[in-house]
Amino acid sequence: MTTTLRPAAPQDIAELRQLYFEVYGHGYPVALGSDPTEMHRLITDPHSHWLVARRADTGELAGSVVVQTDPGNRLGKLVGLAVHPDHRGGGLAGRLTGAVTADALATGALDSIHTTVRLVTQAPQRVVARNGYRPLGLLPNAADVSGCETLALFACYAEGVLERREQVTAVPQALLPLLGATEESIGIPYTGTLALPAPVPDTDHPLPHLGGTGGTGGTAVAEAPPGTLLTAPAVPRAEGCTRPRPRTRTPMEVITAPGFVRRRFRELFPDPAGAYSPLRTPNTVLASPDGEFEIYADLDPAAGSCALVAVHPHPWAATGALDSLMTVLGRAGADYVETLLPLSDTAGLYAFLSSGFVPSAGYPAMRRVGDRFHDYVVLSRTDRQIDFRSTAVGPLVRPYLSAYLTAWTSIYLPPHEVVR
């Protein structure tokens, strides 16, 4: 069977919706496979790349894939890879992935493209790895597709990007397993990165940020790096301890009015550098009744997930609210919550670690600042039981599973309960 690849057109939308239904049933949690308005927007967006595959003899739709882009941040995301069940086994998924990735990078407008793959089989991991994508970590319980599933994060890079990374010389201890897995799996060096001693709590003189954006890992007070999310001055209960603090209850109100949220977000954060979260648009605000803080989030109840985007009026205003945040988001349908932080943001990392967030994935050279690139890390928390028994973890991803389990243990289990 011969297939031809071409850009998607608006007249393909009806067939595309049927394709995604045939592949995923009613459980596909992404709007581009089910919402005609969103599909039309992406197909006609000059910065998006949507390819479809059709049989050369009958014209039947056989596959689809999309790269969404954030031109301002020079990032792309590969989503919606689907091959009709009748056309599997012939390498079409790999052809679509390679073609759309090459098209997107050929514009010169992107520094990297990332994607998440399901772990129900090893096949999706092999498809993206053969097309230049590198594994970067695991996102446990990140999506509700056919049940609660763990995803793997992969990324591919434009030429020369990884060679211009800013080094971070010291990070919290809980980050070291993840960095070690990155080095073992794809060879990005973190050998010289040391473990920082946890700062002693000082509630009278909190530090909003420890260490500068250059990745020195020092303890001098510096300006928070652009894009720091929810960076709080809170640190673990005692030096060297990263286990979650006792839960606190903070009153919180939820506003789920996407149009209002987007307008207010643009008013409060007119400079995109002030809330770095590429390809994420907040649709929900979680606010304290007294107006002390407003947390902006991208909530997706269909996928059972939420990404924290930014906090107003300053990054550490919601220091004591992270436990309450999880409770409120759980009631709103999100069992999985993640945030994105610079690897150099020591205080922000400690704040989330002390609230039960686990280092899940890295993203080396994610953000360009001038001619250099800065590493970021995804920290996630799920209050639903994690079950890795049904995950098909391939060799490239396996080090990240070990790293996650090690980090989870260090955060949630007291030392005397850990038997080695």
Side-chain angles (χ1 to χ4, degrees):
M1 179 194 70
T2 302
T3 56
T4 58
L5 309 186
R6 65 168 178 77
Q11 57 265 33
D12 297 327
I13 290 176
E15 286 183 275
L16 284 165
R17 293 182 70 194
Q18 183 62 32
L19 170 68
Y20 285 103
F21 174 78
E22 294 284 348
V23 173
Y24 295 104
H26 291 290
Y28 192 56
V30 181
L32 68 85
S34 57
D35 183 346
T37 301
E38 177 64 10
M39 297 170 77
H40 188 276
R41 184 190 71 79
L42 282 172
I43 288 173
T44 57
D45 180 358
H47 300 296
S48 294
H49 304 263
W50 193 327
L51 294 182
V52 296
R54 289 188 176 276
R55 288 187 55 162
D57 53 354
T58 65
E60 177 187 358
L61 187 66
S64 171
V65 69
V66 186
V67 168
Q68 298 173 276
T69 69
D70 182 339
N73 288 306
R74 299 182 58 84
L75 286 177
K77 183 176 183 181
L78 186 147
V79 293
L81 176 62
V83 174
H84 193 280
D86 294 341
H87 302 286
R88 291 174 182 167
L92 182 55
R95 283 185 60 207
L96 282 165
T97 300
V100 78
T101 300
D103 285 353
L105 291 177
T107 65
L110 301 180
D111 295 316
S112 66
I113 301 172
H114 64 278
T115 188
T116 55
V117 301
R118 301 172 68 194
L119 299 179
V120 290
T121 71
Q122 291 189 29
Q125 302 164 58
R126 292 194 289 263
V127 166
V128 295
R130 288 169 182 165
N131 285 281
Y133 286 79
R134 308 174 185 218
L136 301 179
L138 295 175
L139 307 175
N141 287 358
D144 191 352
V145 184
S146 55
C148 197
E149 293 189 14
T150 293
L151 305 179
L153 177 67
F154 284 73
C156 69
Y157 295 87
E159 186 176 354
V161 168
L162 289 173
E163 289 72 28
R164 289 180 281 160
R165 291 173 48 243
E166 284 289 332
Q167 296 295 321
V168 177
T169 59
V171 297
Q173 176 74 37
L175 271 293
L176 291 184
L178 173 62
L179 302 189
T182 304
E183 187 163 9
E184 177 184 350
S185 180
I186 59 177
I188 293 179
Y190 285 104
T191 305
T193 304
L194 304 176
L196 281 171
V200 177
D202 183 354
T203 57
D204 294 326
H205 302 89
L207 298 179
H209 179 68
L210 304 179
T213 59
T216 63
T219 57
V221 179
E223 292 294 326
T228 298
L229 307 184
L230 295 172
T231 306
V235 294
R237 291 172 291 168
E239 186 172 358
C241 174
T242 56
R243 292 188 297 279
R245 297 165 298 179
R247 289 176 177 264
T248 58
R249 295 185 179 276
T250 302
M252 200 172 297
E253 298 174 343
V254 182
I255 302 171
T256 54
F260 167 78
V261 172
R262 287 193 296 269
R263 290 193 302 272
R264 182 159 175 80
F265 179 75
R266 287 194 292 265
E267 292 172 359
L268 297 177
F269 299 93
D271 181 2
Y276 181 71
S277 190
L279 296 163
R280 292 285 192 181
T281 301
N283 58 15
T284 303
V285 173
L286 302 103
S288 61
D290 58 7
E292 183 179 354
F293 62 81
E294 295 177 7
I295 302 171
Y296 287 81
D298 182 7
L299 174 64
D300 186 354
S305 67
C306 181
L308 307 182
V309 176
V311 63
H312 179 79
H314 49 73
W316 51 95
T319 298
L322 293 177
D323 283 324
S324 296
L325 176 79
M326 292 297 301
T327 301
V328 171
L329 288 174
R331 291 171 182 164
D335 295 306
Y336 168 88
V337 180
E338 69 177 37
T339 191
L340 182 68
L341 289 174
L343 185 60
S344 60
D345 182 9
T346 307
L349 295 171
Y350 273 127
F352 279 91
L353 292 170
S354 66
S355 294
F357 282 73
V358 181
S360 302
Y363 200 136
M366 183 178 192
R367 187 178 190 185
R368 179 192 285 229
V369 179
D371 196 44
R372 305 293 292 176
F373 291 88
H374 296 264
D375 295 357
Y376 274 68
V377 62
V378 178
L379 294 101
S380 67
R381 177 171 160 178
T382 175
D383 286 346
R384 184 186 292 187
Q385 181 177 340
I386 304 171
D387 187 351
F388 290 117
R389 290 175 298 178
S390 61
T391 57
V393 177
L396 286 175
V397 178
R398 197 165 295 128
Y400 295 106
L401 176 57
S402 177
Y404 183 87
L405 294 174
T406 300
W408 188 96
T409 298
S410 71
I411 291 170
Y412 280 96
L413 294 184
H416 64 270
E417 294 183 12
V418 179
V419 179
R420 296 189 181 278

